[in-house]
Amino acid sequence: MLPAILTSLLVFLSGIFIDRGLDEDRANSAPRSLSFQLRHLHAVSRSAQVVFSDVRPQALDVHSNKSNTDLYTIRSRRLTSFRPPSFQEFSRTRSLYFGQSQLQWNEEEVIGPDVESRETLLELAKMTNNAYLCDDDPDWYDLGDSWNDSYPFGWEPDADGFRGHVFATPDNETVVLSIKGTSAGVFGGGGPTSKKDKLNDNLLFSCCCARIDWTWTTVCGCYRGGWKCDTECLDKALIEESLFYSIGTNLYNNLTYMYPNSNIWVIGHSLGGALASLLGATFGAPAVAFESPGERMAARRLHLPSPPSTLHITHVYHSADPIAMGTCNGVLSSCALAGYAMESRCHLGKTIFYDTVSNLSWTVDIRTHGIVNVIEKLLSQPWAPSAEIGREVPELKTEDDCVECFSWEFGDFPASSFRSNRQGGG
């Protein structure tokens, strides 16, 4: 009798402890909100060095668009990410051209933003829209020669290239790198970097060297007449000429030097969003991109080793934005008139797509591309089609059937044969 009572008691007690353990596991895995504060501003110095500027507490109200508080509260969730063993190993595999299968990716569970929360997307969008450093604000500093690579062209603090902010939680557990790209030449104006920006944009996001028609001067020599483009030439030109991705990896590596034990997220708008996505694919960092041009083609041409999954990358865009939709092309398009060939349309990872043309009667217009428009007119109020089915945002989907540059024929078309054909036809 006594052994039976003891057995029952042990079963009862073990059940209590198991339930407690399960409750603790549920609590640990449940979404929790993280509070972020602006810590640094980042750019590139006149000597092409990645530089950071600490933001003093008294300056927070100057750099923040928030009222009454300088904190951004964001709901998080657990997600699966794939990281390379090291950036050096990633770069070595990339240099092998088609050696992606040789890289051993590490599968990890990390904390990322809860992108199915409208408030989370709204806060992240506001973080990408932060004002830039004023001329009379704190001095810039770098991290030493061992952590900064030199490039022939950089982001000067008074220029309009890629730059942005660094946010962190009070305990530095999670850091957010915000990158705000610019399309100043598209919207009018420009600046000291606009010419180089245009070169990089046209290399990354055009089908073939920004060949729109015979009146255009191409940005690389890979066009082979008709609708033919030499693939090897194009890949080589993009890797050698474009600074976009190289500056991004340098920036990320500098940040990991500053925060070696932190979980890093990358966010951005427009071209900054494309860079955020490429960095997410490279380092396995959770990434959220707003109104980004399609970067899947650029990732392939840059020979980035492909992780088993890129579902830790999220794109957010709407149907009235011709840049994100890949429709800002053609001789008479707004982009082409400004000298940009924005022809890519396929995105990595998952997409949250707002059909504003059908549901809000928006007109397709490049002026809807701005992040302020997304904040004030899209994310600041519930999205009715999603609310009707009990969701906060549109359902996340992958762009599996996306096709771009379908008119072009890519292959081995040596320049010598192209010149011979032209001479023979002349």
Side-chain angles (χ1 to χ4, degrees):
M1 188 66 161
L2 186 59
I5 294 176
L6 289 175
T7 301
S8 300
L9 181 60
L10 289 173
V11 170
F12 174 73
L13 291 175
S14 63
I16 292 177
F17 288 119
I18 291 173
D19 289 341
R20 284 182 179 176
L22 290 174
D23 289 340
E24 290 179 359
D25 290 340
R26 292 191 192 101
N28 291 333
S29 62
R32 61 191 179 102
S33 295
L34 303 177
S35 294
F36 294 89
Q37 188 177 52
L38 181 62
R39 294 286 185 84
H40 317 281
L41 298 98
H42 68 79
V44 172
S45 70
R46 297 184 185 279
S47 60
Q49 299 268 322
V50 171
V51 291
F52 295 86
S53 172
D54 293 333
V55 177
R56 294 189 295 262
Q58 60 268 31
L60 285 172
D61 56 346
V62 175
H63 297 290
S64 177
N65 291 331
K66 312 259 297 175
S67 58
N68 303 322
T69 179
D70 53 26
L71 293 178
Y72 295 82
T73 301
I74 297 174
R75 198 164 73 188
S76 67
R77 67 176 183 179
R78 294 184 180 275
L79 53 83
T80 300
S81 175
F82 292 88
R83 302 179 186 271
S86 67
F87 181 63
Q88 291 74 20
E89 184 65 18
F90 181 93
S91 299
R92 187 193 69 81
T93 304
R94 181 187 173 205
S95 69
L96 296 178
Y97 197 57
F98 293 112
Q100 285 90 333
S101 60
Q102 299 182 24
L103 186 62
Q104 299 298 314
W105 296 88
N106 297 323
E107 181 177 355
E108 298 181 12
E109 187 177 75
V110 299
I111 297 295
D114 183 1
V115 294
E116 298 192 70
S117 162
R118 180 180 63 84
E119 287 294 332
T120 291
L121 294 182
L122 178 61
E123 291 296 280
L124 291 175
K126 289 178 179 178
M127 291 166 79
T128 68
N129 188 54
N130 257 312
Y132 289 150
L133 184 69
C134 299
D135 292 338
D136 57 352
D137 273 330
D139 293 335
W140 297 92
Y141 64 91
D142 62 42
L143 301 178
D145 293 338
S146 61
W147 291 97
N148 290 277
D149 294 330
S150 295
Y151 298 98
F153 183 83
W155 308 331
E156 291 80 5
D158 62 344
D160 60 357
F162 293 104
R163 56 182 188 252
H165 292 151
V166 177
F167 302 84
T169 54
D171 59 1
N172 291 340
E173 180 182 6
T174 304
V175 173
V176 176
L177 172 61
S178 171
I179 308 170
K180 187 174 183 180
T182 177
S183 299
V186 175
F187 299 105
T193 70
S194 59
K195 184 176 180 180
K196 195 68 175 183
D197 287 343
K198 185 178 294 185
L199 168 65
N200 286 288
D201 300 343
N202 284 337
L203 275 172
L204 285 162
F205 306 117
S206 72
C207 292
C208 183
C209 304
R211 167 74 185 192
I212 301 300
D213 68 3
W214 64 272
T215 64
W216 278 59
T217 300
T218 56
V219 294
C220 56
C222 308
Y223 173 65
R224 297 293 184 261
W227 293 95
K228 295 182 178 180
C229 192
D230 185 72
T231 302
E232 184 176 352
C233 168
L234 189 62
D235 293 354
K236 183 178 180 181
L238 195 140
I239 292 173
E240 292 181 353
E241 300 290 340
S242 176
L243 303 176
F244 184 86
Y245 177 73
S246 299
I247 289 177
T249 56
N250 188 37
L251 172 62
Y252 188 94
N253 283 326
N254 272 269
L255 193 60
T256 59
Y257 174 64
M258 297 171 64
Y259 296 94
N261 301 315
S262 299
N263 177 34
I264 297 177
W265 305 349
V266 193
I267 62 175
H269 167 253
S270 187
L271 303 176
L275 179 54
S277 176
L278 292 175
L279 293 179
T282 298
F283 297 101
V288 179
F290 295 92
E291 306 300 323
S292 163
E295 84 296 8
R296 187 191 299 176
M297 181 170 62
R300 184 175 65 252
R301 291 177 176 176
L302 285 166
H303 299 162
L304 303 191
S306 301
S309 170
T310 57
L311 296 183
H312 58 287
I313 299 171
T314 305
H315 283 274
V316 182
Y317 63 94
H318 61 80
S319 58
D321 180 2
I323 291 180
M325 291 291 293
T327 58
C328 195
N329 49 57
V331 179
L332 298 179
S333 69
S334 301
C335 293
L337 292 175
Y340 286 81
M342 306 295 287
E343 300 173 297
S344 63
R345 61 184 299 264
C346 301
H347 300 84
L348 295 171
K350 302 170 296 184
T351 294
I352 297 176
F353 177 66
Y354 288 85
D355 190 354
T356 54
V357 173
S358 299
N359 292 287
L360 299 180
S361 300
W362 286 14
T363 301
V364 176
D365 192 324
I366 198 171
R367 290 172 294 184
T368 67
H369 175 70
I371 189 64
V372 173
N373 184 73
V374 174
I375 292 171
E376 296 181 352
K377 298 182 179 181
L378 198 60
L379 297 177
S380 292
Q381 52 274 330
W383 179 248
S386 296
E388 291 173 358
I389 58 174
R391 294 182 56 85
E392 294 187 34
V393 302
E395 184 180 357
L396 288 90
K397 297 181 179 180
T398 56
E399 300 182 8
D400 296 326
D401 299 323
C402 183
V403 178
E404 54 196 350
C405 301
F406 58 86
S407 299
W408 285 88
E409 181 182 355
F410 298 95
D412 182 16
F413 303 114
S416 56
S417 61
F418 174 59
R419 286 192 293 268
S420 299
N421 291 336
R422 292 186 66 182
Q423 292 170 359

